[in-house]
């Protein structure tokens, strides 16, 4: 495994990030343990979670699974760079969500307890909170760092100007600021190329793409359906919307002799500022197959063809002005 620095930091992480969102709702605790153990064996040291994962309000099921896995010892916690998130509602009362100083303090302590750890490597805001000033956000995060409860701060689903405002506020306070931004980014969804990626490049943030395979559309959906596998109504609707592109894409992957899922991930690793796409395997087989991604090299001709199939964006304002 060739590890990479997360943004401008000295923190080294694997170029694939293990997403844990399926742990609990779709993957049993026993199977989740096996996937995480195998991830370590494969060299993946970067795991991502969130306090709301598990999707039963206030229970933090996925973080609890992580905590039970860490509690087995064997260096599991020490070998893992754990990133988790706060923002979503963990209760029905005021201040049980968002990014107020009160919720940041409570949410961090609750995540630490569930994950049975003393510190969080990367504590991420799951969404922008337009009602909380960045001075309040940074003061709360600075206190957590001083207490040794978190090491780095990251964002998720921030616009480019949110990143700029966050970083400029941090600079005024003489603090390190954000180390990463977790964005919706894949061949089909490229709007972050307008302003988010340029902001991340300029401020030295590592980009962690979520939904790198567009909910399965870039994972060989046509061949899977042809083999009789079922698809959700939402996926069928999206497939019909993008069928022409998906057909060209799967033919392109066939010509390369590679799995569409692996090509989609490999393409992300060529993008500016991208550190590690989030993979969300539900089984050991899916995890092990994903490792092929790191062996794929897309040359200029291949990258140009992908741009033809899935047109992207130039940096703003040139994309729409001059």
């Amino acid at each position: 495994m060739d590890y990479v620095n997360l943004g401008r930091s000295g923190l080294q992480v694997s170029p694939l990030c293990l997403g844990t969102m399926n742990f609990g709702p779709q993957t049993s605790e026993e199977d989740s343990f096996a996937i995480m153990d195998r991830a370590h064996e494969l060299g993946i040291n970067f795991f991502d979670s969130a306090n709301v994962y598990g999707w039963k309000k206030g229970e933090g099921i996925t973080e609890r699974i992580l905590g039970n896995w860490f509690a087995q010892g064997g260096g599991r916690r020490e070998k893992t760079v754990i990133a988790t998130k706060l923002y979503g509602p963990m209760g029905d009362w005021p201040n049980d969500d968002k990014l107020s100083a009160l919720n940041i303090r409570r949410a961090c302590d609750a995540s630490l307890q569930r994950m049975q750890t003393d510190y969080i490597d990367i504590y991420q805001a799951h969404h922008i909170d337009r009602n909380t000033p960045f001075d309040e956000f940074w003061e709360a995060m600075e206190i957590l760092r001083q207490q040794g409860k978190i090491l780095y701060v990251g964002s998720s689903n921030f616009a480019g100007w949110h990143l700029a405002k966050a970083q400029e506020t941090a600079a005024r306070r003489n603090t390190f600021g954000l180390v990463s931004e977790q964005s919706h980014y894949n061949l089909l969804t490229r709007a972050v190329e307008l302003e988010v990626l340029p902001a991340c490049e300029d401020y030295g943030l590592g980009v962690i793409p979520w939904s790198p395979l567009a909910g399965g559309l870039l994972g060989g959906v046509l061949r899977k359906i042809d083999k009789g596998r079922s698809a959700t109504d939402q996926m069928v609707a999206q497939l019909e919307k993008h069928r022409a592109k998906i057909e060209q894409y799967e033919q392109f992957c066939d010509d390369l002799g590679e799995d569409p899922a692996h090509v989609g991930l490999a393409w992300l690793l060529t993008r500016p500022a991208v550190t590690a796409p989030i993979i969300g395997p539900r089984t050991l087989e899916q995890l092990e197959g994903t490792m092929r991604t790191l062996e794929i090299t897309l040359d200029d001709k291949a990258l140009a063809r992908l741009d033809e199939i899935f047109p992207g964006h130039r940096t703003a304002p040139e994309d729409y002005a001059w």
Side-chain angles (χ1 to χ4, degrees):
M1 181 69 67
D2 292 325
Y3 296 94
V4 294
N5 285 58
L6 180 60
R8 70 195 185 285
S9 78
L11 183 66
Q12 292 200 310
V13 297
S14 50
L16 294 174
C17 178
L18 180 68
T20 63
M21 189 172 66
N22 291 323
F23 295 176
Q26 297 190 44
T27 306
S28 69
E29 181 167 299
E30 180 181 2
D31 289 344
S32 300
F33 283 11
I35 288 172
M36 289 188 282
D37 282 334
R38 183 59 178 148
H40 271 186
E41 291 172 1
L42 293 169
I44 296 174
N45 73 332
F46 191 15
F47 294 9
D48 176 75
S49 192
N51 59 358
V52 294
Y53 288 173
W55 312 117
K56 291 185 178 180
K57 187 184 290 184
E59 295 189 20
I61 292 170
T62 301
E63 286 188 335
R64 292 185 188 280
I65 290 174
L66 279 161
N68 292 337
W69 182 70
F70 287 148
Q72 294 180 98
R76 287 176 171 83
R77 176 64 188 96
E78 293 77 12
K79 294 175 182 177
T80 303
V81 174
I82 186 65
T84 195
K85 300 183 284 291
L86 82 152
Y87 177 88
M90 293 297 284
D92 297 320
W93 281 77
N95 305 307
D96 283 344
D97 61 359
K98 308 290 177 59
L99 301 179
S100 69
L102 178 58
N103 189 51
I104 287 174
R105 174 177 175 172
R106 288 176 174 171
C108 182
D109 286 345
S111 286
L112 290 171
Q113 184 177 30
R114 283 190 292 267
M115 293 194 294
Q116 302 183 52
T117 184
D118 295 329
Y119 67 98
I120 295 165
D121 296 283
I122 309 164
Y123 201 35
Q124 304 163 113
H126 210 159
H127 196 276
I128 187 67
D129 180 358
R130 296 177 176 85
N131 294 321
T132 299
F134 274 112
D135 273 314
E136 178 181 351
F137 172 81
W138 281 123
E139 182 177 43
M141 290 298 186
E142 288 160 17
I143 290 171
L144 293 180
R145 287 194 70 186
Q146 290 163 7
Q147 293 173 335
K149 294 179 179 179
I150 67 172
L151 299 181
Y152 298 93
V153 180
S155 60
S156 181
N157 304 307
F158 277 30
W161 74 272
H162 297 140
L163 296 173
K165 194 168 184 179
Q167 295 304 79
E168 294 304 320
T169 304
R172 178 164 48 79
R173 300 176 65 90
N174 295 313
T175 61
F176 190 72
L178 299 170
V179 72
S180 60
E181 158 60 21
Q182 196 175 124
S183 286
H184 189 193
Y185 190 28
N186 54 58
L187 278 163
L188 272 170
T189 307
R190 299 180 60 170
V192 292
E193 295 172 350
L194 285 163
E195 299 195 23
V196 173
L197 292 191
C200 289
E201 278 193 281
D202 191 69
Y203 285 108
L205 276 63
V207 176
I208 309 168
W210 62 266
S211 193
L213 299 179
L217 286 179
L218 299 171
V221 62
L222 291 176
R223 60 184 72 179
K224 290 176 182 177
I225 290 176
D226 288 343
K227 292 179 180 178
R229 298 189 191 179
S230 60
T232 64
D233 292 340
Q234 182 180 8
M235 179 177 285
V236 171
Q238 287 297 308
L239 175 58
E240 290 312 307
K241 179 180 178 182
H242 300 290
R243 177 174 285 274
K245 293 181 179 180
I246 300 300
E247 287 176 347
Q248 293 179 68
Y249 176 63
E250 293 199 13
Q251 182 59 57
F252 169 79
C253 294
D254 284 343
D255 293 343
L256 284 182
E258 298 289 352
D259 187 282
H262 304 157
V263 173
L265 291 169
W267 175 81
L268 279 169
L269 289 173
T270 71
R271 299 298 88 195
V274 167
T275 296
I278 296 175
I279 58 172
R282 293 188 297 274
T283 65
L284 278 174
E285 291 74 22
Q286 289 177 348
L287 171 65
E288 291 169 350
T290 301
M291 299 305 293
R292 171 61 186 162
T293 297
L294 303 179
E295 301 172 2
I296 296 175
T297 299
L298 298 173
D299 60 21
D300 290 344
K301 182 179 179 181
L303 293 173
R305 176 58 182 147
L306 288 171
D307 280 338
E308 289 176 1
I309 299 171
F310 303 105
H313 295 276
R314 292 185 295 166
T315 299
E318 286 84 0
D319 189 82
Y320 49 78
W322 54 271

